[in-house]
Structure formats: C-alpha cells, structure tokens
Amino acid sequence: MTLHDVAARAGVSAATVSRVLTGAYRVSPETQDRVRRAAEELDYVVNAQARSLVGSSSGLVAVLLTDITTPFYNRIARGLTEQVTAEKRVCIVSTPQSGDLDGELATIATLRQQSPEAIVLVGGVHESPDYRKRITALANSLDAEGSRLVLCGRPAPTKDAPVTVVEYDGEDGAFAITSHLLSAGHERILFLGGGAGSTTTTPRLRGYRRALEAYGITPDADLVRHGSSTRHFGYEAMGDILAAGRPDFTAVFASDDLAASGALAAMRERELSVPDDISLVGFDDIPVALDTVPALTTVHVPLEEIGRTAIQLALHRDEPEFRNAQRAVLGTHIKVRGSVRPLVRRRR
C-alpha cells in the first residue's frame, strides 16, 4: 500500500495524507479521522522504509511487555535483551497503552514506523476469534515487510500464521506440583489466582484438574478462585476466604509466586502456619519464592531461556537449522522447598 492508495480510499490528495500522517500542517479533524481510518484499513505504515526495503536489516528488535514491574516479565525480557545484544542488534522495550489487544496493536503501529526486524509480544492474553484474526493479519503484514512477529508465553493465533512462538509447558508443570501435594496426602487443594480464560492460567488450571482426576478426585469448582497474578490479589483473596470461617482445604496451589506470597502474608496475620496448618505452592520460581519464610515450593519456568530462544529462532528463521523450528515448548520442573508438609504430620 502506498500514500496514493490511502489518498484514494480517504478521498483526499496524497499531499493531504502526508500532512495528516506527519503532522506537518493543520488539517480539519474530520479529514484527519478519514485519513487515519483509511491508513488503518489499508495497513499503511507511515515510514515506507519498512515496505520499500523488504528483507533489509534495521538492526532493531522491539519488545512489548504487559507489565514492566513484574519479575515474570522482567526475566523473560532479560533473556531477550541478552540475546539481542549477542546478535549485535538494538532492543527497544515498551509497554502497551492499555492492557488489552487494542493497546498492543496501537503500540505496535508506532513501533512499525521504526522498521524493526522483529516485534516480540511477551505474556498471556485472553484468546478470542477477534484476537486470532487481528494477530494473524498483523503477522502476515510484518512478514510481507520482512519483519517477524514473535510470541513469548502465548500460543500461535492460527496453525499457519508466520510467527515465531516460544512457550513453556504450563499444564505439565501444574500437573506435577498438584501431584506433589496429592502425594503428601492433600486432597482438598485450593487453586488461587490467575485470570479466568487467560492463555497463562488455562493450562495451569487444566494441569491442576488433570492431577486431581488422576488421583480419583473430582475437581471442586468451589476450590477455584480466579483473580490476578499479583501479591495484592493473593493477600486479599486469602484474607476473605479465612475471614469466612475455617478453610475447607489443607493446601493451596497459587497460580503464580506473587499470589502465593500474598496468601502467605494473609495466613500469617491470622496465625496460621505454613506448612504446619496449610501447605502452599506457587508457580514461576521468581526470586520472591526464595525470600518467603518458609521458602516456597514452586514450578520453575525457564524464563530467561524463553527470551533467548525466541530471539535466536526469529532472527535466524531463514537458516536451514531454524527454518522448521519456529514453534518451541520449553520444559518446567518442581523446585521442592519448605512450604509443603505431609497431611498426616500436620499439627492438630
């Protein structure tokens, strides 16, 4: 698509399109809206370098993090930036204007003007037909420009989309950590945290339920409390549960370590001991898991390796070694520490 295509769609001159998109001259709000809508519909990038130099190397990699303050994302970003540096490229790290797909796409539209070699999206999303359609269209547009869409910690939108995907085995990790609690005699296990329907939470919940069923236990919907992957949520949710009366569970599987740390604080305030009164496990193995007392039994996710692998696969995708390896799933494993005790040894 060219400037003249946008002009024809908007019903204005090419010079007017240039003025609107560069902000060089005043143009009426109505004309601005018409031009910008036409540019968006035609997927026109203001900086035409991305299209005129298809296949060229800008030396730039753009990374979008859902949250720059969360250790989970920070450690993936660390792996990404380390590999970008090793590949002798430059990395731009940004956060979406809002925490939804529209925010991501708005930020990406700005980043595309810099003609990046790759745009990396880090973190889970709530999948929907609209999400899959729009992300697939984005992937195809970037591919036509000689760029690459890279997804870290979320699945490909469609089977054939031109994307690089690096995930981790969240379901088997959740199955393993839940089985660890079950083997210690815990059958009433609270699943705490994570947004319902998120591509991060869904595999963990699936692994939790699969482990219960493997032990002959019917999952109880009342023992699932969704929320967010934050310490605040874990603290507030556990406080509310305990305030309602004696808990109907002997163990808690927090879907991430931050929620686990908040739940631990709420239990301590009510003079409940972990693991003597309630066993507690988390997921991710971020630094806070070692700082809690007792140290948290959790699922280790190779976060830095996710970032490094994503960049390596994306930047070398045309080489024979990597051409057919654009989908990778990294393994997870349990880190056993001090937050779980066999049920038969709990103090009465």
Side-chain angles (χ1 to χ4, degrees):
M1 293 299 163
T2 68
L3 196 75
H4 294 281
D5 295 319
V6 177
R9 173 66 68 91
V12 298
S13 68
T16 298
V17 173
S18 178
R19 293 184 188 118
V20 170
L21 298 182
T22 62
Y25 296 93
R26 289 182 177 273
V27 179
S28 70
E30 294 80 10
T31 301
Q32 290 183 43
D33 290 342
R34 196 160 68 249
V35 169
R36 292 197 173 101
R37 185 165 57 251
E40 181 178 352
E41 291 171 353
L42 295 175
D43 193 33
Y44 177 76
V45 178
V46 176
N47 184 348
Q49 182 183 36
R51 300 185 188 279
S52 63
L53 300 179
V54 171
S56 67
S57 174
S58 66
L60 181 67
V61 174
V63 176
L64 271 70
L65 299 179
T66 302
D67 185 350
I68 61 173
T69 65
T70 301
F72 179 90
Y73 299 114
N74 289 344
R75 293 181 67 183
I76 293 179
R78 179 179 178 180
L80 286 164
T81 55
E82 286 177 351
Q83 190 63 34
V84 167
T85 300
E87 300 282 352
K88 294 180 171 56
R89 267 76 163 184
V90 176
C91 187
I92 292 179
V93 178
S94 183
T95 56
Q97 297 173 5
S98 61
D100 56 17
L101 177 59
D102 288 335
E104 278 191 342
L105 294 178
T107 303
I108 290 169
T110 300
L111 292 171
R112 284 173 68 185
Q113 297 176 30
Q114 307 304 317
S115 306
E117 287 190 65
I119 294 179
V120 187
L121 307 184
V122 180
V125 293
H126 287 80
E127 281 195 297
S128 66
D130 180 60
Y131 164 80
R132 287 188 285 270
K133 177 182 177 181
R134 296 171 74 182
I135 289 295
T136 299
L138 171 63
N140 287 322
S141 295
L142 290 174
D143 185 61
E145 296 165 9
S147 185
R148 189 68 166 182
L149 181 64
V150 184
L151 306 177
C152 283
R154 70 173 74 172
T158 61
K159 180 180 178 181
D160 300 322
V163 295
T164 299
V165 179
V166 180
E167 299 179 85
Y168 58 90
D169 197 342
E171 180 174 340
D172 278 0
F175 178 87
I177 199 79
T178 306
S179 297
H180 179 68
L181 290 171
L182 290 163
S183 66
H186 300 279
E187 297 185 353
R188 300 288 294 173
I189 303 169
L190 173 69
F191 183 92
L192 182 68
S198 161
T199 56
T200 298
T201 306
T202 297
R204 301 181 186 193
L205 184 59
R206 197 161 52 230
Y208 159 82
R209 288 172 172 160
R210 183 160 62 88
L212 291 171
E213 291 168 352
Y215 274 74
I217 301 170
T218 300
D220 186 346
D222 291 337
L223 289 179
V224 175
R225 180 70 67 91
H226 284 299
S228 62
S229 300
T230 63
R231 182 189 184 280
H232 177 75
F233 168 76
Y235 176 81
E236 292 292 331
M238 182 56 67
D240 291 344
I241 291 169
L242 296 177
R246 184 174 179 84
D248 185 27
F249 51 83
T250 62
V252 178
F253 171 18
S255 69
D256 61 275
D257 294 342
L258 288 177
S261 69
L264 177 61
M267 287 188 276
R268 183 179 297 118
E269 285 185 2
R270 289 159 179 81
E271 299 183 347
L272 289 173
S273 170
V274 172
D276 292 342
D277 295 309
I278 298 175
S279 288
L280 174 67
V281 300
F283 206 110
D284 294 339
D285 195 24
I286 59 175
V288 71
L290 290 171
D291 294 335
T292 60
V293 180
L296 187 65
T297 292
T298 188
V299 176
H300 175 79
V301 179
L303 298 173
E304 288 93 344
E305 188 61 24
I306 289 172
R308 287 191 291 266
T309 301
I311 294 300
Q312 185 178 40
L313 294 183
L315 296 185
H316 298 278
R317 61 188 179 278
D318 294 326
E319 298 175 16
E321 180 182 354
F322 300 101
R323 191 171 297 145
N324 297 318
Q326 292 300 301
R327 304 286 195 278
V329 180
L330 306 187
T332 56
H333 61 270
I334 298 176
K335 288 283 191 177
V336 177
R337 298 186 177 113
S339 62
V340 175
R341 176 168 292 185
L343 184 60
V344 293
R345 295 175 56 192
R346 292 174 69 240
R347 294 186 300 202
R348 302 293 181 180

